[in-house]
Amino acid sequence: MIKELFQDARHFQILILSSLLALLILWSDFAPEPHIILSVIATTLITQFIFYKIFKIKSRDYRSPFITSLSLCLLFKGSFLWLYPLAVVLAIGSKFLVRYNGKHIFNPANAGIVLCLLLLPDQVWVSPGQWGSVIWLGFVLICLAALVLSRAQRADIALFFLGAWFFLLLVRALWLGDPLSIPIHNAQSGALLIFAFFMISDPMTTPDHRLGRLLFACVVAILAFVLQYVFQLREAIFFALFFVCLSTPFIDMIFESDQYQWRKT
Amino acid sequence: MMRLFLFMSVIFLAGITQAQAFCGFYVAKADAKLFNEASKVVMSRHEDRTVMTMANDFKGEVKDFAIVIPVPAVIKKSQVNVTDNKIIDHLDSYTAPRLVEYYDNDPCQQYVMEKAMRGGAPMMMAMSADASLEERSKALGVTIEESYTVGEYDILILSAKQSDGLFKWLKQEGYKPPKGAEKVLKSYIKQDMKFFVAKVNLDEFESSGYTYLRPLQVAYESEKFMLPIRLGTLNAKGTQDLLLFTLTKKGRVEPTNYRTTKIPTGDDIPLFVADEFGEFYKAMFATSVKKEGMKTVMLEYAWDMAWCDPCAADPLPPEDLRKLGVWWLEKPRQPRPRPMRGRQMQPQIWPGPGGAVDTFVTRMHVRYDSETFPEDIMLQVTEDRKNFQGRYVMRHPWDGEANCEMADDYYQGLRERFRKEAKTLANLTGWDMAMIRRKMEKNGQSFDIKPSKDQRPWWEQMWENEE
């Protein structure tokens, strides 16, 4: 029974993201309020239902949108309540409307965040600092998330990304002559780990071939690094993923491989 | 793309007294230095424009004052200004944690009285030497880009090729850069910084008629919104405190590379704290910082500048806000005080009919050292306009005549209330419980309150009486 329950990687993801949300509520002074959490979850599921109706899709599944809603609760902030449903509609909408070769292009939560940041830069934000840089939290996240990803068989991309990102931070620190405590401090960001393990590693929007994923992760890391340190963009990683996702179909063309399915038949 | 960063640091001159830091969250003026090694910075930020004001409470010999602020581009004379200390003190008072006082009702009647008390915190440090040096500078790879006088300050804008050259230059000119400064300077130079060096022009200072050094302001345009703290951590022995005030059009400012926590607020505390509110605040802040492992930025105040409730000081008038760099405030509008009601001592001030002024103030308090805050504080303006303040409540028990039934319940409840207040205070400050109870007793908060009427059953009263 339990074995069956965890056959699907999404169950692990739901478990971990819910725990993180609980942790945030208990631990942070800036956690989302309960009514925001509930409204995000509800609107995500309803939006998914409506799109199923519109596209007359029979095999319905609400686990992925639930994961999307949890990711939004963890990262997205808006100055008005109506911005949350907007982010949800953009997230789920991008999943149904922007597709190529049977795969959606963008990770839905990331698309919701980035599109809101692009459309309403004066109304929404992401608080990467709300997690602080807590080693144990990072450690716990990595262990748990590695488990999830090994199930999802796409663990590699998160590690490729984190590796590339830390490498860039390290090179920067060495070039500037900064102490190692600075790149280490930067790498301990909770938001970074959530991004790596729950966004960039979305198996539906990443290249199917391992080499393709390595390339993808490195390009995201480099673009994010430039956006953050040259253009001073605080939400650099999210923007970088959004734009690099557009290249997934091309990467898939170069490195051919089987498409991912949540449950292997 | 122009990258304009602003890094601040203070470097000491050889042969000069120690860095001085003044500060304190004080209730009364007499309550001088509460926080050591503290500095006060105001940053106004909208779009890519930043105005940074550094409050200066330097009390040593003015000739010993000098400050070094690394900046990435040449800062022209017109981008520098000096302003008035009073404005920053006012901002400090307006945003300071406050103590509110309520008086219990006669159990058969009611009135409330509020009184806000405030604390404040000043800043600063640094030193100086003489300068006139093109040649010597060039030899060390240091170029003087600009040189001018603003107010009582002589200002140089330097650029450097090598950190060792700049380091040598600073030493040669009589500055005493802290140990480890060379590495940090190197990092800033590689990021293409220039260095803003200010010291006091004694003639100008004397003719200005001021007895203190006025705050120095720098205005610049840059995508980068951050507070440089790295060189500062080299100066300090142990930890230091920084009060960062931000003024924005949109909302609260938060660090993106450090966690923010709110200071405890809203708690009921014993009456004697009124006499030592400064000490209370200091202890409570220390306890909160310790609880978070000194790894967070403490939010002390976040409020729309149009109003306050209760007010520790009146909101800043628009003309003062503009002086602090709130350039977007086009039409000055005075906040309207609400008419006083009842026995209110300190008015609350509510937004005028036109709504809020377009300025949101955030007050952050950081205690840090190079270990817990290894990196400069990166900031972002959020759209969060939720109000937050550090507010503590004293409730005075009813001390008049009260002989009705209700009064007995009231007195019974008081003991429990005092017990709770003592516990809250001990948790917040880490103060000794026995000491707290002693002080409470002294202050009329007795734990042995006898109800006016004996509440025991008649048989207990009967037999006790017989003993």
Short mmCIF file of all heavy atoms in Angstrom, two decimals, chain B residues 229 233 238-240 294 367-374:
data_model
loop_
_atom_site.label_atom_id
_atom_site.label_comp_id
_atom_site.label_asym_id
_atom_site.label_seq_id
_atom_site.Cartn_x
_atom_site.Cartn_y
_atom_site.Cartn_z
N ILE B 229 28.41 46.39 3.95
CA ILE B 229 28.75 46.26 5.37
C ILE B 229 30.10 45.59 5.57
O ILE B 229 30.60 45.50 6.68
CB ILE B 229 27.68 45.45 6.15
CG1 ILE B 229 27.49 44.08 5.53
CG2 ILE B 229 26.37 46.21 6.22
CD1 ILE B 229 26.66 43.13 6.38
N THR B 233 32.61 45.52 8.97
CA THR B 233 32.82 44.41 9.91
C THR B 233 34.30 44.27 10.25
O THR B 233 34.64 43.68 11.27
CB THR B 233 32.31 43.07 9.33
OG1 THR B 233 32.98 42.82 8.10
CG2 THR B 233 30.82 43.08 9.12
N GLY B 238 34.07 42.62 17.78
CA GLY B 238 32.82 41.95 18.09
C GLY B 238 31.71 42.39 17.17
O GLY B 238 31.94 42.73 16.02
N THR B 239 30.50 42.44 17.71
CA THR B 239 29.36 42.72 16.86
C THR B 239 29.12 44.22 16.75
O THR B 239 29.63 45.00 17.54
CB THR B 239 28.09 42.10 17.44
OG1 THR B 239 27.82 42.72 18.69
CG2 THR B 239 28.25 40.61 17.62
N GLN B 240 28.34 44.60 15.77
CA GLN B 240 27.91 45.99 15.71
C GLN B 240 26.46 46.07 15.27
O GLN B 240 25.91 45.12 14.73
CB GLN B 240 28.81 46.81 14.84
CG GLN B 240 28.98 46.27 13.44
CD GLN B 240 30.03 47.08 12.70
OE1 GLN B 240 30.09 48.29 12.81
NE2 GLN B 240 30.84 46.40 11.92
N MET B 294 21.68 35.36 15.49
CA MET B 294 22.25 36.58 14.92
C MET B 294 22.34 36.50 13.39
O MET B 294 23.23 37.05 12.78
CB MET B 294 23.63 36.87 15.51
CG MET B 294 23.96 38.35 15.54
SD MET B 294 25.42 38.72 16.51
CE MET B 294 26.71 38.37 15.36
N ARG B 367 22.07 43.29 13.93
CA ARG B 367 23.29 43.12 14.73
C ARG B 367 24.11 42.07 14.00
O ARG B 367 23.60 41.00 13.70
CB ARG B 367 22.95 42.66 16.15
CG ARG B 367 24.17 42.44 17.00
CD ARG B 367 23.81 42.38 18.47
NE ARG B 367 23.28 43.68 18.91
CZ ARG B 367 22.70 43.86 20.09
NH1 ARG B 367 22.57 42.85 20.93
NH2 ARG B 367 22.24 45.05 20.43
N TYR B 368 25.33 42.38 13.71
CA TYR B 368 26.07 41.48 12.83
C TYR B 368 27.56 41.48 13.11
O TYR B 368 28.10 42.38 13.74
CB TYR B 368 25.83 41.88 11.37
CG TYR B 368 26.32 43.27 11.02
CD1 TYR B 368 27.54 43.45 10.38
CD2 TYR B 368 25.57 44.40 11.33
CE1 TYR B 368 28.00 44.71 10.06
CE2 TYR B 368 26.02 45.66 11.02
CZ TYR B 368 27.23 45.82 10.39
OH TYR B 368 27.68 47.08 10.08
N ASP B 369 28.19 40.45 12.62
CA ASP B 369 29.65 40.44 12.52
C ASP B 369 30.00 39.75 11.20
O ASP B 369 29.10 39.34 10.46
CB ASP B 369 30.30 39.76 13.73
CG ASP B 369 29.90 38.31 13.89
OD1 ASP B 369 29.48 37.68 12.89
OD2 ASP B 369 30.00 37.77 15.00
N SER B 370 31.29 39.64 10.93
CA SER B 370 31.67 39.15 9.60
C SER B 370 31.32 37.67 9.43
O SER B 370 31.22 37.18 8.32
CB SER B 370 33.16 39.37 9.37
OG SER B 370 33.88 38.71 10.37
N GLU B 371 31.11 36.99 10.54
CA GLU B 371 30.81 35.57 10.43
C GLU B 371 29.35 35.32 10.06
O GLU B 371 29.05 34.52 9.17
CB GLU B 371 31.12 34.88 11.76
CG GLU B 371 31.42 33.42 11.63
CD GLU B 371 31.85 32.87 12.97
OE1 GLU B 371 32.94 33.24 13.46
OE2 GLU B 371 31.07 32.10 13.56
N THR B 372 28.44 36.02 10.73
CA THR B 372 27.02 35.76 10.46
C THR B 372 26.51 36.58 9.27
O THR B 372 25.52 36.23 8.67
CB THR B 372 26.15 36.09 11.69
OG1 THR B 372 26.44 37.41 12.12
CG2 THR B 372 26.42 35.11 12.81
N PHE B 373 27.19 37.66 8.96
CA PHE B 373 26.80 38.46 7.79
C PHE B 373 28.02 38.64 6.89
O PHE B 373 28.59 39.73 6.80
CB PHE B 373 26.25 39.83 8.23
CG PHE B 373 24.82 39.78 8.68
CD1 PHE B 373 24.47 39.22 9.89
CD2 PHE B 373 23.81 40.28 7.86
CE1 PHE B 373 23.14 39.16 10.30
CE2 PHE B 373 22.48 40.22 8.26
CZ PHE B 373 22.14 39.67 9.48
N PRO B 374 28.42 37.56 6.19
CA PRO B 374 29.65 37.64 5.41
C PRO B 374 29.53 38.54 4.18
O PRO B 374 30.51 39.05 3.70
CB PRO B 374 29.89 36.19 4.98
CG PRO B 374 28.55 35.54 5.02
CD PRO B 374 27.79 36.24 6.11
#
